[in-house]
Amino acid sequence: MTGRRSTYEIYWEILVFCKTPKLFTGIISRCDLNSKTGQGYLGFLAGKGYLL
């Protein structure tokens, strides 16, 4: 394993962590993302209706 996560693994980690509503900073910290990339991932998931 290379140590890098795929995009799908990051989406999965966010969705599992956000079974109950979480703050943006908590998600970013828990999933080890910077705020710019985190906004992209969360924006995509929210746009598809997976996150509120």
Side-chain angles (χ1 to χ4, degrees):
M1 187 167 181
T2 63
R4 294 188 55 116
R5 298 175 291 175
S6 72
T7 301
Y8 299 109
E9 290 173 313
I10 294 170
Y11 285 137
W12 182 258
E13 187 174 357
I14 292 170
L15 290 172
V16 169
F17 182 64
C18 293
K19 286 183 181 178
T20 59
K22 306 283 190 224
L23 294 174
F24 176 77
T25 54
I27 297 167
I28 297 304
S29 176
R30 169 64 174 85
C31 297
D32 196 28
L33 302 169
N34 67 41
S35 61
K36 184 177 179 180
T37 57
Q39 286 176 346
Y41 287 114
L42 294 175
F44 175 80
L45 291 171
K48 296 293 184 180
Y50 291 115
L51 298 175
L52 300 175

